[in-house]
Amino acid sequence: MRAVDNAPYYGFYMGGSVWVYWMNQKIDITSLFEDGVCYVRLEKDGETLYMTVKYQNGFSWSRDKYPNLRDFN
């Protein structure tokens, strides 16, 4: 897979649940939100990604650190 193919994405579902998808992983992050923001560290096959997710308002990710909320949306 090319690096761009390894980008994570997320989805919202009826009932309010929030899921992150990355490299054949599906992770429920619904309970991780505090004040509308969630920080998720993803690991697989020696690769690590850091995600900052705003509830129903976008996300950003990095291979180095959690993205700052001011850097997006």
Side-chain angles (χ1 to χ4, degrees):
M1 292 182 123
R2 296 173 307 156
V4 72
D5 294 334
N6 288 337
Y9 62 97
Y10 76 114
F12 291 92
Y13 295 92
M14 291 180 70
S17 65
V18 184
W19 294 79
V20 167
Y21 301 89
W22 183 61
M23 293 182 70
N24 299 323
Q25 297 180 80
K26 178 181 176 182
I27 305 154
D28 183 354
I29 63 169
T30 309
S31 64
L32 301 178
F33 285 90
E34 291 185 23
D35 298 322
V37 177
C38 168
Y39 298 94
V40 182
R41 181 177 170 184
L42 303 168
E43 294 182 349
K44 179 143 183 172
D45 298 335
E47 199 171 340
T48 302
L49 291 183
Y50 300 89
M51 288 183 73
T52 301
V53 182
K54 289 183 181 179
Y55 189 79
Q56 295 186 341
N57 199 17
F59 75 101
S60 186
W61 63 274
S62 169
R63 296 184 193 283
D64 303 314
K65 62 181 179 177
Y66 292 108
N68 191 307
L69 286 174
R70 293 181 300 245
D71 293 340
F72 67 101
N73 286 344

